[in-house]
Every structure is written in C-alpha cells, then in structure tokens.
Amino acid sequence: MIQAIIALTLAAAAGIAAAQSNIANYPNKPIRIIVPYPPGAGTDFTAREMGKGINEAFGQPVVMDNRPGAAATLGHHLMAKATPDGYTLGLGTTGGLVSGPALMGNRIPYDPLKDFTHIGLATYVYYNVYVTPGMPVSNMKEFIAYAKSQPGKLNYASPGVGTPNHVGGAQLVTLTGINLLHVPYKGSALALSDLIAGTIHMSITGFTGVLPHVKSGRVKLLAVGHHERIKMMPELPTVAETVPGYYNTGWWGLVAPPGLPKPIVDKLNAIIVKYLNLPETQQRFFVTGLEVATSTPQGYTNLIRSDINAWRKLIKEAKISVESLP
C-alpha cells in the first residue's frame, strides 16, 4: 500500500515536472491559428499580423488554418475542442463570440466565456452600410425611403446567420420597418463582388477590402454603425444619426482552448500587445481600415461578457430572432 502511494506520488511529481518543462520550453514547434473566415478578408489580415508578431518573438513558424462556415461558429467550435497546449490558437470574432451566441443561444455548440481562454484584443472593426452603385441614394435617409418604396425587392448580404453583419442588417430592418431579404455568404469577398455587380443591393461590412471600390465609385458608402463618428473618417455620418439606437461595432482578438496555462497566456499577450502597438503595425492596420486595440486577458474576457449582455439587450429590444428573419 505504501509502495503504491509512493509510486503515485512520484508519477504525479514527474507529470508536474514535465508540464512545467513544456511551459518553460514553449514553443518548440509550429503554432496554428484557426481563422473562422475564408482567406483574403480583414480577419485573415489580423490573424497574419498577430502570427507575424508571434513568429518574430519565438522564431517558430505560425500557420494560418482558415475554417469558414456556420457564421464563424465552425472555426470557433474547432478552437474550443483543441488541446490547450498553446500550439492551436484562434482568431476570436464578434460573430463567433458575441452576436452569434446572443442571437442563437444554445444552438451554438460552445459557451463563449467558459469554452475559451481569452488571450487579448487585437482590433476594433467598424461595420458600415454600403449599397450598389446603381442605387439612386447617397445617404441613410434616402436609402430607407427608397427601400420603403421597393418593399420585398431589395436584399442585403452577410457572411452568415448570426454574424454582426447579419444582426446589423436585421437591426436596421426592425428599427426602420423596411423589408430586406437576407442573403448569407461564406465570406465577405463574394458578397462584395455581387454588391459591385448589383445582384446584392446592400451590405454591412468593414472597411477592409472595400475602400478602394468606394474611391473608384464601384460601391457607395453611406454610414458607419459605430455610436459616434470615427477618427479615421470623421466626415462619415453614423447610422444612428438617422436611425436612433442603431449600433454595430465589432472586434477581433486572440483566443485559445480552455485551460491554457497562465504563463503561456501571459507570454502570448505580452507579445501581441507589444507588436500591435508598434507604429508601423498600427499604420498597416489603419490603411487596411482597422484600428488597433489591445487589452489584458481579463480585459478581453470582460469585453466579451459586456458585449454579450449588450447584444442580447439589443436583439430583444429590436425583436430580432432567427425564426423571424429571412
């Protein structure tokens, strides 16, 4: 009996020593970052920038693993189920961690607070209202009037049900009484192509990849969904100036499976905060249409919790549900 206890004690001590050694030597092989959207969008850019910072700090390759689908919940589910050893990380998005869970509740196969390790915030994402260039409108007031004159004939695109883009469109429909058909895509790139072509009439998405088309006249930018005008484009009106109560701003950050050891969390957070706050990194984000925003791990958790509560309230007050929307 005593020998068995000694053996178990020694085994436990060996296990603890091995775990401590793995943490101290982290990382000693390539790191994967799961991106819950297709390549080429702002999500991909943000994940690659964080990957670049991690690679420069550790000297280990950082590989992007794009897993689009189910309004970003597919990729988040894969993150939540991965081994918490620091070699599988993920890009946490508002769609996968806030708006999707707030809209779809227990239909989401994970808990955004319990099933992830929140490492740190990376950037704010401003969602804007764009329309196809042939539409005879130049501001939100004109768009709402035009939509009311074309009931059931106009549509809007999003990267999937439950994304901030979708909920932003649904919020606009509910608050204004207009009738728009929701057309979900697997990512923003195809939706943008169809918006330019005119098969999609309106889209709510970020600046990334769209600004060149705005400047060339192939897309019209009407307003930003933030609660106030933004520094990078102060002349752009907010949607709320025409539609009181409207709000739609997102963010992206770095997450990992639950149970990631705190020393690894702190190490990764310090790296991305330092890298993202470099002037040259901030400039790359700015020209892409994004604003760097960093946080502590606890600060990121607090943001997710507060945003879930805010979106649930917004969805309830606007009477938005999956069942009630196209």
Side-chain angles (χ1 to χ4, degrees):
M1 181 69 177
I2 294 176
Q3 289 180 333
I5 293 173
I6 292 173
L8 288 172
T9 302
L10 290 173
I16 292 171
Q20 291 174 338
S21 176
N22 288 337
I23 292 171
N25 294 327
Y26 172 84
N28 54 24
K29 61 182 181 180
I31 296 170
R32 173 176 67 142
I33 297 181
I34 296 175
V35 184
Y37 287 102
T43 45
D44 205 51
F45 165 82
T46 301
R48 288 180 183 279
E49 281 293 321
M50 288 193 291
K52 184 178 178 182
I54 293 169
N55 167 258
E56 289 182 1
F58 290 139
Q60 289 290 345
V62 180
V63 180
M64 299 299 121
D65 184 3
N66 294 87
R67 297 295 187 101
T73 60
L74 174 62
H76 284 80
H77 192 206
L78 289 173
M79 297 175 213
K81 298 300 181 183
T83 303
D85 56 6
Y87 294 99
T88 297
L89 307 175
L91 185 75
T93 71
T94 319
L97 296 176
V98 172
S99 63
L103 178 64
M104 293 185 275
N106 57 15
R107 297 185 186 192
I108 302 293
Y110 54 80
D111 185 301
L113 291 170
K114 296 178 182 178
D115 293 338
F116 296 90
T117 298
H118 309 124
I119 297 171
L121 186 63
T123 182
Y124 282 126
V125 186
Y126 300 120
Y127 291 105
N128 314 295
V129 177
Y130 301 90
V131 296
T132 191
M135 190 176 293
V137 303
S138 58
N139 55 54
M140 286 303 301
K141 184 177 179 180
E142 291 176 357
F143 171 73
I144 293 166
Y146 182 74
K148 287 183 176 180
S149 73
Q150 306 283 323
K153 294 182 180 179
L154 302 183
N155 57 36
Y156 74 97
S158 84
V161 174
T163 59
N165 320 62
H166 170 219
V167 176
Q171 186 186 170
L172 190 63
V173 166
T174 303
L175 293 177
T176 62
I178 60 178
N179 185 356
L180 302 175
L181 174 67
H182 174 228
V183 182
Y185 286 74
K186 287 188 175 181
S188 298
L190 288 175
L192 176 60
S193 296
D194 284 352
L195 183 69
I196 293 170
T199 53
I200 287 294
H201 302 111
M202 188 269 279
S203 180
I204 294 179
T205 190
F207 286 112
T208 306
V210 189
L211 280 181
H213 301 292
V214 173
K215 293 176 181 177
S216 68
R218 287 183 285 182
V219 172
K220 289 183 182 180
L221 170 59
L222 301 186
V224 62
H226 200 49
H227 60 81
E228 60 184 18
R229 296 196 181 199
I230 57 176
K231 293 179 182 178
M232 65 181 296
M233 200 174 287
E235 73 281 4
L236 180 65
T238 68
V239 177
E241 290 174 36
T242 305
V243 186
Y246 186 94
Y247 175 73
N248 191 15
T249 295
W251 41 255
W252 301 322
L254 192 65
V255 299
L260 184 66
K262 189 176 185 300
I264 294 179
V265 174
D266 292 341
K267 189 181 289 189
L268 287 169
N269 177 267
I271 287 167
I272 65 169
V273 167
K274 180 179 179 181
Y275 180 79
L276 291 174
N277 282 303
L278 292 173
E280 56 269 32
T281 306
Q282 292 191 342
Q283 180 61 22
R284 285 195 297 274
F285 273 75
F286 183 81
V287 299
T288 308
L290 298 169
E291 180 183 334
V292 166
T294 56
S295 72
T296 63
Q298 186 61 51
Y300 191 22
T301 300
N302 293 343
L303 174 64
I304 294 169
R305 181 181 290 109
S306 65
D307 273 11
I308 289 173
N309 292 333
W311 276 80
R312 283 174 178 160
K313 183 175 183 289
L314 181 157
I315 288 167
K316 181 179 180 180
E317 290 178 348
K319 298 179 181 178
I320 301 168
S321 70
V322 175
E323 292 79 8
S324 67
L325 294 169

